[in-house]
Amino acid sequence: MDFLKSAVASAIAKGSSFPYSLGDRVDISDSIWTLHNAAKREDGSACSIFTFDIAANKSRLPLAKNAVRKFRTLRHPGVIKVLDTIESETSLYIVTERVVPLSWHVKRKSLSEETCKWGLYTVATTLKFINEDAASIHGVVRASSIYASESGEWKLGGFDILSSMNDETAVIYTYGSLVPDAARYTPPEVVKGGWDTIKRHPLSAIDAYGLGILIFEVFNGNFTGGDQVGKTTNIPPGMQQSYKRLCAANPKIRLSPAHFVEQGKKHGGFFQTSLIRLTDDIESLGLKNDTEREEFINELDQLSDDFPEEFFKMKVLPELLKSVEFGGGGPKVLAAILKIGSKLSQDEYNSKLTPVIVRLFGNPDRALRVCLLDNLPLMIDNLPQKIVNDKIFPQITSGFTDIAPVVREQTVKAVLSVITKLSDRTINGELLRFLARTANDEQPGIRTNTTICLGRIAKHLGQGSRSKVLIAAFSRALRDPFVHARCAGLLALAATIDFFTEEDCASRILPAICPSLLDREKLMRDQANKTLELYLQRVRKFGSTMPEVALPSSTSPEPSKDAARIGTSNDKSWAGWAISSFTNKITAANGEIEPATNGAKPVEAEPSRSASVPRPVKTSVSAQLDVPKETIRPAAQPLGRRSQSEHPVPVTMMEDEADDGFDAWGAMEDDDNHTQQKADDPFDPFSPISNTASSSGLAAPMKASPAPYDDGGEPDFAGWLAAQSKTKKPLPKGLNKNAVAPPVSRTSSSTSATKPKAVAPAKKIDTKPKDNDDDDGWGDAWD
């Protein structure tokens, strides 16, 4: 190493720059060469350099020069690829592809049986080429002459005595014995008669013997001497017979490397393996028809994980990428690509696979799209977030509206994989709009998966829209005719309980769950009970932290006599709520609908009077026209209640929130909004009158509310009127209908104050009996 550095330094000093940077030295044995890892200065690409020190090994210089010459002229896939050769007065350099000695793996016994067969097949095929096509003899076939490339392929080297038999002065005849440790590997006929004897034996005999020794080394880890030749220890059973013929003592009956390959390739032979077939077919994958490509992919699927990963990265993957992108490889080829890609580093993945994946998502082939979506979990971790959000997801969105249900379903499932790579704007905008569409899909399975998907991505949704979207989607799912879609809604509500407020749980979610308690399917009823219990526990827990009594809005004491009235808030009987509601209904319906005029004056408060005393006659009917036109009923005070001014009832209206992401979910709340609006309807006869007044925006036109009713011991005047009507007795004077002045028209309202010709009472009393004989008319004339 020090000498090499000095030689390079001297070369640079003379004005010529060495184009490679030398790295670490690689230990190799039984060789006249020193191996270094190196890199090309121009582009930094990795390579290896074999160096030979002329001064230290001058006697073996002919071997080194022979190796340089043969490396330049011999080209074969099974031979180490040479990039450059450099010769100087002090050193020889052979620059090759990056390689490591096979002896490293052999000594560690780190090679699987399939890999060993694959490597031996490559070496035997290369020796066949050297012996038959090149009419040459390698002469030094052993583990120290074999190297593994970056792709994991076995490459033949050690061309120190490689000679052509057409050359009468070949190096092998003169310098064959100068090879390091030649005595241990030399065939018996050469030991007896020297290297000249090879002329009298078959050309392949020397290399066949070396191939037999290589087989023993590969499967046993070390070769100590000639006594181990022919032993079948650890040799695969199918290969033992052919192996023994390679190691035969008689060179004339030895099996040549070509015949060894032929026997191994027979049906059921030892070279009939998936890895070897893959090696033979990968180069011509683009030329295969659909049937042949199908067979090739099936072979690829059968490969186990103990096969060399480097070979798949360097050789198989590029061919598969070309096939799937340009040769119509289809989904199966893509699955094989992604399986290999899972073993790539991040840099390798970004440079080799990411650009191809982006282009494949733009392919309109549905089968390819489904395969991409199905395998998205395998690739998503290696894809940059910007690539997914800006380039891949816009292509995925076309699957939400595809006419094929399987594409839509796979697209919904793929959301779970890409959600972590999407921006908040994309999630709460475009994604939610598409999920709102699939939530109403015609396929029940797609609706179910959309509900499940929303439940699992809930934590990624924006806080402003999350509760609205989830409640709308899950409430709709609970009304789905498909039982599993309904069940998915319950499960999703149970899983996302932490994302809702206690007010939402009590007012919106619990009412939506309750109908499922009586679902036709027992599965739904059981799950509804479980989900309901979860929400009840949360609401109860929150309710226990609330104060027992809320602070009153007014400090004025309530009249003590109201406590004795029926239907008040103090009534604790079992039917108190029903009586209260009925009383409110009667009170709300009291009075007449009177016409209103513009510019009418407010009605003066009427003084308190006894129930038996007739109502005083108004001097003008203009007060009757003083109620605004929009008034449906007068804001009369409930019996035994506080005045409306003491109990303001705020009405909170649901406001639409503006967001371009979850506006699509508004339609899913139509039913719920309708229910809410009905509950707040100001014209609902069953709503409390205080709510009616507040929601309608009308205040009572009276300056002071009338005093609570007190009969003062007087007889029931309304009951007496009803009894008189049944017996058809004439009414006392002043209570007859004929005494009531006709209603004043709207056009005469302006002059009614100056012309008091007709005097009308303030209130009409309808004494006509009801059609129902059971109704005694109680409360019909209640003031």
Side-chain angles (χ1 to χ4, degrees):
M1 180 65 183
D2 295 336
F3 171 79
L4 181 60
K5 290 182 178 179
S6 64
V8 173
S10 62
I12 296 175
K14 292 179 181 179
S16 61
S17 60
F18 195 71
Y20 301 94
S21 299
L22 293 177
D24 299 333
R25 177 177 175 175
V26 180
D27 294 329
I28 56 175
S29 58
D30 302 335
S31 178
I32 65 175
W33 298 89
T34 302
L35 179 60
H36 291 267
N37 291 329
K40 192 174 182 179
R41 292 181 184 274
E42 182 179 357
D43 56 5
S45 58
C47 60
S48 295
I49 298 180
F50 291 87
T51 64
F52 179 80
D53 185 2
I54 296 177
N57 297 281
K58 194 171 184 179
S59 62
R60 293 174 175 172
L61 182 59
L63 300 180
K65 288 187 176 181
N66 182 71
V68 172
R69 185 168 59 253
K70 295 302 181 181
F71 268 120
R72 286 175 178 173
T73 57
L74 192 62
R75 292 288 186 268
H76 189 270
V79 174
I80 297 176
K81 183 180 180 180
V82 177
L83 305 177
D84 196 4
T85 58
I86 302 174
E87 298 185 27
S88 67
E89 297 178 356
T90 58
S91 302
L92 299 178
Y93 306 100
I94 303 176
V95 184
T96 69
E97 60 181 319
R98 177 64 64 87
V99 293
V100 295
L102 180 65
S103 56
W104 286 8
H105 302 291
V106 170
K107 291 179 181 179
R108 293 197 303 264
K109 296 183 179 180
S110 60
L111 300 172
S112 65
E113 181 178 328
E114 291 294 324
T115 303
C116 290
K117 289 181 179 180
W118 172 56
L120 290 173
Y121 171 76
T122 303
V123 172
T125 304
T126 306
L127 290 175
K128 174 185 176 182
F129 166 77
I130 293 175
N131 295 155
E132 296 184 355
D133 297 340
S136 302
I137 296 176
H138 186 279
V140 194
V141 179
R142 61 181 76 170
S144 60
S145 299
I146 311 298
Y147 297 85
S149 66
E150 287 185 301
S151 62
E153 296 174 280
W154 291 12
K155 299 298 183 74
L156 185 61
F159 293 162
D160 301 340
I161 60 174
L162 191 150
S163 303
S164 173
M165 292 297 97
N166 298 326
D167 186 3
E168 294 293 335
T169 60
V171 174
I172 193 172
Y173 299 132
T174 307
Y175 300 99
S177 59
L178 295 180
V179 176
D181 206 7
R184 186 153 51 106
Y185 294 94
T186 302
E189 66 272 16
V190 174
V191 173
K192 294 179 182 180
W195 287 98
D196 288 337
T197 59
I198 63 176
K199 297 179 181 179
R200 299 189 296 269
H201 300 299
L203 184 145
S204 61
I206 300 296
D207 292 338
Y209 188 85
L211 181 59
I213 295 176
L214 176 64
I215 293 174
F216 183 87
E217 287 182 299
V218 166
F219 288 107
N220 292 277
N222 192 18
F223 178 73
T224 58
D227 58 338
Q228 292 181 329
V229 176
K231 290 186 177 181
T232 59
T233 307
N234 296 327
I235 306 296
M239 190 184 293
Q240 291 179 4
Q241 190 65 30
S242 299
Y243 158 72
K244 289 181 180 180
R245 293 188 60 186
L246 289 173
C247 302
N250 186 354
K252 294 183 179 180
I253 63 173
R254 286 176 191 159
L255 191 67
S256 67
H259 290 152
F260 180 73
V261 172
E262 183 180 351
Q263 290 188 0
K265 293 289 290 182
K266 289 181 179 179
H267 182 70
F270 47 84
F271 283 155
Q272 285 291 329
T273 66
S274 299
L275 187 57
I276 292 175
R277 285 193 293 268
L278 173 66
T279 307
D280 292 339
D281 296 340
I282 190 61
E283 298 292 341
S284 59
L285 179 60
L287 303 177
K288 295 181 180 297
N289 56 36
D290 294 341
T291 303
E292 293 173 339
R293 188 182 292 110
E294 185 81 12
E295 295 177 356
F296 172 80
I297 297 302
N298 292 335
E299 291 283 351
L300 192 62
D301 292 339
Q302 295 176 7
L303 297 180
S304 58
D305 294 334
D306 61 350
F307 292 147
E309 297 180 5
E310 296 80 7
F311 177 72
F312 287 96
K313 295 178 182 179
M314 302 293 294
K315 293 293 183 179
V316 178
L317 183 59
E319 296 296 330
L320 293 178
L321 289 175
K322 288 188 292 186
S323 176
V324 73
E325 193 170 5
F326 306 111
K332 286 193 174 182
V333 175
L334 177 62
I337 290 174
L338 298 178
K339 182 178 180 181
I340 298 173
S342 62
K343 301 179 181 180
L344 297 177
S345 65
Q346 186 62 52
D347 294 337
E348 292 173 336
Y349 201 100
N350 291 337
S351 61
K352 296 180 179 180
L353 280 187
T354 300
V356 178
I357 291 174
V358 173
R359 291 194 296 268
L360 290 178
F361 267 105
N363 195 307
D365 185 6
R366 287 193 176 92
L368 185 61
R369 170 63 64 85
V370 170
C371 184
L372 282 169
L373 296 175
D374 193 36
N375 290 276
L376 197 57
L378 299 178
M379 66 178 88
I380 194 64
D381 292 336
N382 296 311
L383 296 175
Q385 181 175 2
K386 185 174 180 59
I387 295 294
V388 176
N389 189 77
D390 298 343
K391 296 183 178 181
I392 294 181
F393 183 73
Q395 300 289 347
I396 291 178
T397 55
S398 62
F400 287 108
T401 58
D402 195 90
I403 60 175
V406 64
V407 177
R408 300 199 302 272
E409 184 172 9
Q410 289 296 330
T411 305
V412 172
K413 293 179 180 179
V415 172
L416 301 179
S417 300
V418 303
I419 190 69
T420 57
K421 299 285 185 175
L422 300 180
S423 64
D424 293 340
R425 182 181 181 88
T426 302
I427 293 174
N428 297 286
E430 192 174 5
L431 177 60
L432 285 184
R433 286 196 296 269
F434 282 113
L435 290 180
R437 184 185 184 114
T438 56
N440 294 299
D441 196 274
E442 61 181 5
Q443 296 292 327
I446 297 177
R447 299 197 301 269
T448 303
N449 285 328
T450 301
T451 302
I452 296 173
C453 177
L454 281 171
R456 297 183 64 177
I457 68 171
K459 60 182 179 182
H460 300 284
L461 301 180
Q463 295 183 357
S465 62
R466 180 164 52 199
S467 60
K468 177 179 179 181
V469 169
L470 296 183
I471 293 176
F474 300 159
S475 299
R476 172 65 63 88
L478 294 180
R479 301 190 298 270
D480 197 287
F482 187 53
V483 59
H484 296 290
R486 300 198 301 274
C487 189
L490 290 174
L491 293 173
L493 284 172
T496 58
I497 186 173
D498 295 333
F499 298 124
F500 306 118
T501 63
E502 285 76 7
E503 290 75 10
D504 286 338
C505 294
S507 62
R508 304 185 66 185
I509 298 179
L510 283 174
I513 296 176
C514 287
S516 300
L517 297 173
L518 298 179
D519 195 273
R520 298 185 304 273
E521 301 289 340
K522 186 178 185 300
L523 173 67
M524 279 292 297
R525 296 194 298 272
D526 294 342
Q527 186 59 46
N529 279 282
K530 296 178 182 178
T531 306
L532 183 69
E533 186 62 28
L534 289 177
Y535 279 88
L536 286 177
Q537 290 177 1
R538 181 176 177 185
V539 172
R540 289 166 180 165
K541 182 178 179 180
F542 180 76
S544 64
T545 63
M546 298 177 66
E548 294 184 1
V549 179
L551 295 177
S553 59
S554 175
T555 57
S556 59
E558 189 174 357
S560 57
K561 57 185 177 180
D562 287 347
R565 301 295 297 172
I566 63 172
T568 63
S569 59
N570 295 325
D571 192 347
K572 305 300 181 181
S573 64
W574 66 272
W577 63 272
I579 298 176
S580 174
S581 299
F582 181 72
T583 306
N584 291 340
K585 180 178 179 182
I586 295 298
T587 307
N590 186 26
E592 294 179 347
I593 300 178
E594 300 178 357
T597 58
N598 296 331
K601 296 181 180 181
V603 180
E604 295 292 336
E606 183 180 355
S608 176
R609 62 182 178 80
S610 175
S612 60
V613 178
R615 185 185 300 273
V617 179
K618 298 281 186 179
T619 60
S620 173
V621 296
S622 61
Q624 301 182 18
L625 309 177
D626 200 43
V627 182
K629 182 178 181 179
E630 290 81 1
T631 303
I632 303 304
R633 58 177 71 88
Q637 188 68 20
L639 299 180
R641 310 258 181 183
R642 291 185 180 182
S643 65
Q644 181 175 316
S645 61
E646 295 179 354
H647 292 280
V649 181
V651 179
T652 302
M653 303 300 291
M654 182 179 298
E655 298 181 358
D656 294 335
E657 300 179 5
D659 189 283
D660 59 350
F662 57 84
D663 282 346
W665 296 87
M668 302 184 67
E669 289 190 307
D670 290 345
D671 296 338
D672 299 334
N673 292 342
H674 177 70
T675 304
Q676 180 69 20
Q677 293 173 2
K678 183 176 180 180
D680 296 337
D681 188 0
F683 305 110
D684 187 1
F686 293 95
S687 61
I689 190 169
S690 59
N691 287 352
T692 302
S694 301
S695 60
S696 62
L698 301 177
M702 295 177 291
K703 293 183 179 180
S705 56
Y709 171 75
D710 186 7
D711 54 11
E714 297 291 337
D716 187 0
F717 183 59
W720 178 78
L721 288 178
Q724 292 295 327
S725 63
K726 290 183 180 180
T727 57
K728 297 183 179 180
K729 295 181 178 181
L731 294 176
K733 185 177 182 181
L735 295 179
N736 197 310
K737 289 186 178 181
N738 296 331
V740 179
V744 182
S745 63
R746 295 180 183 268
T747 55
S748 62
S749 59
S750 58
T751 59
S752 60
T754 59
K755 298 178 180 180
K757 294 181 179 181
V759 178
K763 192 71 64 174
K764 295 181 180 181
I765 301 176
D766 188 6
T767 59
K768 183 179 180 179
K770 302 293 183 178
D771 295 336
N772 188 359
D773 295 339
D774 296 336
D775 188 1
D776 58 358
W778 184 86
D780 288 345
W782 193 267
D783 187 4

